[in-house]
Amino acid sequence: MYLARQMYPIMKINIPSVLKELGLEANEKGVSTGSHWSGSGASIHSYSPVDGKQIGAVSGASLEDYDMTLNKATEAFETFRKIPAPKRGELVRQFGNKLRIKKEALGALVSYEMGKSYQEGLGEVQEMIDICDFAVGLSRQLQGFTMHSERPEHRMYEQYHPLGVVGIISAFNFPVAVWSWNVALAWVCGNVCVWKPSDKAPFCSLACQRIISEVLEENNIPNGVSCLLNGGADVGQWMAEDPRVALVSATGSTAMGKSVAQTVGARLGKSLLELGGNNAIIVTPDADLEMTLMGTVFGAVGTCGQRCTSTRRLIVHEAIYDQVVQSLQKAYGQLKIGNPLEESNHVGPLIDPDSVAQYTATLKEVEAQGGTWIVKGGVLEGKGYESGCYVKPAIAAVTAETAIVQTETFAPLLYVIPYTGSVENAIVIQNDVPQGLSSAIMTQNLREAETFLTHWGSDCGIANVNIGTSGAEIGGAFGGEKETGGGRESGSDAWKAYMRRQTNTINYSTELPLAQGIKFEL
């Protein structure tokens, strides 16, 4: 298989010019309620994993900043929720149009600050544009239901109302797209949003906030509809504890999600969780192996294995195991690792030295548990790798019983696991992990494909046939089960998570009959 990158017309990316185009400087305030910017907390220093250079410093939120921001958001909700939904959709439409104008610059910043390829950075901004388009249409379709009453001359129906303040905690791997999935839907539903971005990608959040603030200011929308709170884990904790935050939408590790769920649940608040993934592709003897190879390699090494939907496990039937392994070895031998802003490279860096340390520790654990290397990994050194964040994508041969496969490693590490017998045996192996985000099967056999999609098949929130585990579309609800958290974002009816449901009964008769035929005489 020949690996090639999709070619885009690409400028010579100059990061200072990118920052200038996005209205950013090397030292920024990291707290915003719209046109008002502040930040009296500890500074966050952002370093690019591409070259190790500092992008700049951002002042984080103090508790005083946080309280001021939540008060402003709460106040703004009183006005914003009264704006008709199609008018709120118009704001989102304008936001999407500004993203189109800023796509190249924002994509480059995403690539440089996070470390994904420039093409993936552009793709992430395109996801933002797509969810805006989806939300604009949705703003005219926030429908309830009607039903028949058992009482004469009564009408019953259901409707949906905004929740209030929606808190968003996002992760570094998609520093702008996941925020947009939440805010586009939350805004058309009538909510206001407070965003706590990853402290590993603060400049991406500043760029987004400046863009949406322009839209809101141009439309005379009050400060507080879109708020930004840069900072550490303490900011997320404040948000989880705060009864003013009606819904906390949190994306990140399972450990983080459990903490958020417990804290929010203790005050009977709502949470929407998108957590870890330990995603598998099942490869049956009836698979198209060229298609399988492409889906597997992209899924395993794209974004340097730092997608929640990255392929972690390849479950291969013994009849084709050797052939698949040989193809993987050849394909991995063609991978080019280096600066993700250069089109010729397939794989960029991990986000920071801590992630590299986790990767190297996992490699040692694989060996300790008896795994053998199909493609051996390691940390890259020398010219072009000065940041210390570049690693080799690795493939290990293990068994279904090897303990390490139960754990998600956020790095380009793929486990190849053999199975025997029917596809049901492979499904058992796939489902036998705590996580349940994305899954896929490669087969041209209709019975195998349909079995995989039954309720006794894949237990994941996403189940694909003849595509990989990565690459979710905006139109479908995104999320997973088990330790992935059970949340749903983006398409379909995910908007309902941002609303409160209300049942209404109207009596237009001259009497007051009670339900279930109950008689109550005074």
Side-chain angles (χ1 to χ4, degrees):
M1 182 183 88
Y2 172 70
L3 293 177
R5 287 275 294 277
Q6 184 177 356
M7 305 299 283
Y8 287 77
I10 183 170
M11 58 182 175
K12 179 67 175 176
I13 294 175
N14 180 281
I15 296 304
S17 297
V18 166
L19 293 175
K20 184 177 181 180
E21 183 175 345
L22 295 170
L24 302 176
E25 298 180 355
N27 292 284
E28 288 280 355
K29 298 290 187 182
V31 177
S32 171
T33 58
S35 61
H36 179 264
W37 291 77
S38 60
S40 57
S43 291
I44 302 167
H45 296 269
S46 178
Y47 294 89
S48 171
V50 173
D51 55 18
K53 295 180 180 179
Q54 180 170 312
I55 300 172
V58 176
S59 62
S62 65
L63 185 56
E64 182 180 1
D65 294 323
Y66 173 85
D67 195 54
M68 176 274 296
T69 300
L70 264 294
N71 285 338
K72 183 62 70 173
T74 302
E75 178 184 333
F77 174 63
E78 296 304 316
T79 300
F80 193 63
R81 65 178 175 177
K82 296 176 183 177
I83 297 174
K87 299 293 185 183
R88 299 192 296 259
E90 169 61 16
L91 299 174
V92 174
R93 187 192 68 81
Q94 293 178 31
F95 178 46
N97 284 344
K98 284 189 181 289
L99 288 172
R100 287 176 169 89
I101 296 170
K102 300 289 187 180
K103 180 177 177 178
E104 286 75 20
L106 184 55
L109 178 60
V110 167
S111 176
Y112 186 66
E113 188 168 36
M114 185 270 151
K116 63 177 60 176
S117 73
Y118 177 60
Q119 286 89 339
E120 288 183 278
L122 292 175
E124 184 166 346
V125 181
Q126 186 61 50
E127 283 194 32
M128 302 176 76
I129 295 168
D130 292 344
I131 194 64
C132 286
D133 288 349
F134 179 89
V136 172
L138 181 66
S139 69
R140 295 180 182 271
Q141 300 179 72
L142 300 173
Q143 299 142 337
F145 301 93
T146 62
M147 62 282 293
H148 292 283
S149 172
E150 66 182 37
R151 290 168 286 190
E153 298 181 90
H154 282 59
R155 181 165 69 90
M156 293 180 65
Y157 67 96
E158 291 181 344
Q159 60 181 337
Y160 290 85
H161 299 296
L163 291 171
V165 178
V166 172
I168 302 164
I169 301 172
S170 64
F172 73 86
N173 58 335
F174 282 86
V176 297
V178 171
W179 168 73
S180 72
W181 291 358
N182 283 274
V183 293
L185 299 190
W187 284 330
V188 298
C189 289
N191 302 290
V192 300
C193 296
V194 178
W195 182 20
K196 190 274 177 205
S198 169
D199 55 8
K200 298 180 181 182
F203 277 84
C204 289
S205 71
L206 300 178
C208 291
Q209 180 68 359
R210 291 206 187 281
I211 294 170
I212 187 58
S213 294
E214 287 180 11
V215 173
L216 298 177
E217 189 171 355
E218 289 166 2
N219 288 271
N220 297 314
I221 302 299
N223 274 333
V225 171
S226 176
C227 298
L228 177 64
L229 287 166
N230 272 287
D234 52 348
V235 178
Q237 184 68 21
W238 298 336
M239 194 179 291
E241 294 171 348
D242 194 337
R244 290 173 293 184
V245 182
L247 170 70
V248 177
S249 176
T251 303
S253 69
T254 297
M256 179 277 293
K258 287 180 178 179
S259 175
V260 167
Q262 290 171 2
T263 303
V264 175
R267 61 175 175 85
L268 298 181
K270 298 179 183 294
S271 58
L272 193 167
L273 303 176
E274 297 289 353
L275 311 176
N278 192 354
N279 315 296
I281 298 177
I282 294 172
V283 187
T284 81
D286 290 318
D288 180 319
L289 294 187
E290 183 174 350
M291 190 183 297
T292 297
L293 189 62
M294 183 61 72
T296 300
V297 175
F298 173 74
V301 309
T303 324
C304 201
Q306 296 171 112
R307 291 175 175 237
C308 50
T309 55
S310 290
T311 305
R312 311 290 180 198
R313 298 174 295 143
L314 194 66
I315 304 167
V316 185
H317 194 276
E318 62 175 356
I320 54 171
Y321 182 90
D322 290 341
Q323 185 179 357
V324 169
V325 165
Q326 290 170 9
S327 297
L328 284 170
Q329 288 174 321
K330 184 177 180 180
Y332 270 54
Q334 299 178 44
L335 291 174
K336 295 181 179 179
I337 307 165
N339 187 330
L341 297 176
E342 296 180 7
E343 290 180 291
S344 60
N345 293 321
H346 301 99
V347 185
L350 290 174
I351 184 65
D352 58 20
D354 288 341
S355 292
V356 175
Q358 182 189 44
Y359 162 83
T360 55
T362 305
L363 296 185
K364 293 177 182 178
E365 188 59 31
V366 169
E367 294 178 351
Q369 294 186 19
T372 58
W373 295 115
I374 295 171
V375 176
K376 193 168 185 178
V379 180
L380 294 169
E381 299 176 344
K383 184 175 176 57
Y385 305 130
E386 291 85 357
S387 70
C389 295
Y390 291 87
V391 301
K392 298 177 185 177
I395 307 176
V398 298
T399 68
E401 292 74 31
T402 306
I404 195 71
V405 302
Q406 297 290 318
T407 304
E408 177 190 33
T409 301
F410 228 53
L413 175 55
L414 177 67
Y415 302 116
V416 182
I417 304 167
Y419 81 94
T420 60
S422 69
V423 71
E424 283 89 346
N425 295 336
I427 293 171
V428 169
I429 295 171
Q430 179 208 274
N431 292 346
D432 189 28
V433 294
Q435 308 85 359
L437 178 53
S438 186
S439 59
I441 187 170
M442 294 292 184
T443 182
Q444 300 298 309
N445 184 310
L446 178 62
R447 289 191 178 92
E448 289 179 335
E450 290 294 334
T451 298
F452 179 73
L453 298 176
T454 61
H455 62 270
W456 63 89
S458 171
D459 65 0
C460 296
I462 299 169
N464 298 327
V465 176
N466 292 327
I467 63 172
T469 59
S470 288
E473 295 185 30
I474 288 299
F478 180 89
E481 301 301 323
K482 302 189 293 187
E483 287 194 357
T484 301
R488 292 296 185 275
E489 294 172 334
S490 190
S492 185
D493 65 349
W495 62 270
K496 292 179 180 179
Y498 305 91
M499 303 284 265
R500 60 180 177 88
R501 187 171 182 166
Q502 185 180 77
T503 300
N504 308 109
T505 305
I506 299 172
N507 176 8
Y508 58 92
S509 74
T510 58
E511 299 179 356
L512 184 59
L514 303 179
Q516 292 87 45
I518 295 173
K519 301 294 184 181
F520 183 75
E521 303 291 344
L522 289 176

